[in-house]
Amino acid sequence: MKASPIPSMQDGPNAPAAVRRSLADTWDDPPGIRGFFAAINHKTIARRFMLATFVFFVLGGLIALAMRIQLAKPDLRLVDPDLYNQMFTLHGTTMMFLFAVPVMQAIATYLVPLMIGARSVAFSRMNAYAFWVFVLGGAFLYGSFLLGSASSAGWFSYVPLAGPDYSPGKGVDIWAQMITFTETAALLEAIVLITTIFKMRAPGMSLNRMPLFVWATLITQFMVLFAMPAVMLGSTSLILDRLVGTQFFNPARGGDALLWQHLFWFFGHPEVYLIFIPPLGMISAIIPTFARRTLFGYPAMVLALFATAFLAFGLWVHHMYATDIPQLGKSFFTAASLMIAVPSGIQIFCWLATLATGRLNFKTPLWFVLAFFVILVMGGMTGVMLGSVSLDLQVHDTYFVVAHLHYVLLGGAVFPLFGAFYYWFPKFTGRMLNETLGRWNFWLMFVGFNVAFFPMHLLGLQGMPRRIWTYAPDMGWEGMNLLATAGAWTLAAGILVFIVNVLRSRRHGALAGDNPWGAATLEWSMPSPPPPHNFDVMPVVHGRNPLWEPAGSPRWVAGLAANARQVLVTSVIDARPDSCPVFPSPSIWPFVSALATTALFIGSVYTPWAVVWGTIPTAIAMTIWFWPNRLNTQRAVFLERKP
Ligand code: HEM
Ligand SMILES: [Cu+2]
């Protein structure tokens, strides 16, 4: 019998340095340019993903600043109306599609494996593919803006405004393709994350011991699976109406314009919650750490997350109160909209109970969480107001709504995100962010935010419509608008301080060590930054707060290969060890497939035939991607036969 080509080498609690080195080599990305495009390690992809979404956030923010300058004084003519329309469309689209949802997925692909005790995400090549598709799609949208042909039909693209008659040119086509594109990436990421959470948790981490951030991610990704197809169906129908003459949305030919609004808001309302639920998980990670006690009411928190997600799908019509849908329908949706306050109230109660009974450690992450309470409660209150038909009809399409949506989105997502970044930055980089700069960052953002957006409530009540490019001097709106612009710049200064802090601390920050905050979850049990393979030995979990509890036994699962990408798969409910498959190795083909997919998508904006010829390179690239690698197969067979 021929000797096996693969020497046996295993991890284990007393692994010699050579074994640890071998694990790191096995899980690391290959070097060089080729290695750059072949990278599939979940932390590498997640870092790039976070950077890309942050770049989009800054771009979207710069456009917002430009809009605020244009609105600072009455009768300004710095940009023309058409450019203004392109700007708010691009701003809304960027923030919602290229920042808020993907940034949550990016952070989750970094943290989830570390929090559940896994060496990788499931489908790590698909994870890389999704990232490239996302970046290329976003770049494509900005390309159209630079070439002066961006959509100006708003981030909601209502038909008939976005239809072929009122929006000629390529702008809306590019917008619609970009939606299909980035939402494809979102769907793939959802599948990656759901599978990872269900099948790759460390032994002993039954569902009822998962950290709340992991719960929040799981629930959010299910929402992605249900919500995104609606808007993809919409964007695809829209582009068919525009390019090949179907009539989905044309009432004159048997279509239905309201169908667009239903498809869009069936996605659009849950979208707000899938932006908002992961931060709830981040807050549930930050509060116990900085209150130095376990979280109050874990089961209630999980149920509240479920209830929020469930109700979120029953509210979309509150964006359509101004259309002529039946009155009874509006009443139902009013009731459902008000009900969503209940689960939010439960969670806020649990957090406050935890804070009230803990010993608080006032560091920057906690400040951002406290700001979340203040801002979100404000946004929630105006939300309850808008949830009722009568008030909504009064302030529909005024700045009251702009104020409300920014209170919810920035309070619900941006402030917790900054807190989360201060919290996990030491794990990402091995260094702490500077506290003093952190305080400046926080106060500039908090004050700037309120100065920018609070006056907009009043402007709205005084009748200033949203999406106007300028206004007459005698309307009485001047003072508030100037104030709002000053606030927006203060907020931007806060974000600039953040960027400075990150750039400085990345090189010169204080060294963090494994667990600088004294937190309880598994990601803090490994060195900062984590090695490519995350865990030297797979941990076994005995409770909800693994690092705060006396370790039970067994403490490890040893015996996974150190020179092959072997992982431990466990059962869905109680995480019992199930099997030890071998994962594929790095490959440039996910990247090439993403390029081919992009060519197909972009091409089809210009000719429907691109759908036909574009599938050929895509199919070839994907076939090579999935072609079994001989060495990998040999390894898998060898490891399976091992006694
Ligand atoms: C960084 C600070 C921000 C400023 C100064 C800002 C400012 C603005 C302005 C001036 C508008 C246009 C209002 C109009 O003309 O009707 C707007 C619209 C909008 N913003 Fe922001 N914004 C900011 C951050 C965000 C964030 C973080 C999000 C989402 C996560 C967001 C989502 C939106 C949306 C969805 C619209 C509606 C666009 C539309 O009507 O088509 N914004 N914002
Ligand atoms: Cu809504």
Side-chain angles (χ1 to χ4, degrees), residues 57 60-61 64-65 67-68 71 84 88-89 91-93 95-96 99-100 153-156 275 399 402 405-406 409-410 413-414 452-453 456 465-468 488 491 495:
F57 173 67
L65 287 180
M67 284 193 286
R68 278 317 321 172
L71 293 172
Y84 188 84
F88 74 66
T89 302
H91 167 73
T93 306
M95 290 302 192
M96 302 301 268
F99 165 65
W155 84 281
F156 41 83
I275 288 173
Y399 260 80
V402 179
L405 77 91
H406 286 91
L409 288 169
L410 279 110
V414 177
F453 291 101
M456 292 190 193
R466 65 192 289 201
R467 304 183 196 119
I468 53 166
L491 170 58
I495 293 172

Side-chain angles (χ1 to χ4, degrees), residues 617-636:
T618 312
I620 295 176
M622 287 193 171
T623 308
I624 305 180
W625 161 2
F626 287 108
W627 207 261
N629 167 312
R630 183 166 300 144
L631 187 64
N632 262 349
T633 319
Q634 273 177 0
R635 276 204 180 118

Side-chain angles (χ1 to χ4, degrees), residues 417-433:
L417 261 178
F418 274 79
F421 203 81
Y422 274 86
Y423 180 58
W424 276 298
F425 185 84
K427 186 47 70 183
F428 296 159
T429 63
R431 294 185 183 264
M432 309 293 288
L433 282 168

Side-chain angles (χ1 to χ4, degrees), residues 46-62 94-95 98-100 102-104 106 134 142 414 417-418 421 441 445 492 494-500 502-503:
R47 266 200 313 271
R48 291 181 193 168
F49 210 164
M50 286 192 254
L51 181 67
T53 52
F54 188 74
V55 168
F56 284 126
F57 173 67
V58 170
L59 290 173
L62 291 175
T94 304
M95 290 302 192
L98 301 178
F99 165 65
V103 72
M104 305 301 170
F134 165 78
Y142 270 84
V414 177
L417 261 178
F418 274 79
F421 203 81
N441 175 186
M445 274 180 73
I495 293 172
L496 192 66
V497 172
F498 171 74
I499 297 175
V500 170
V502 169
L503 293 179

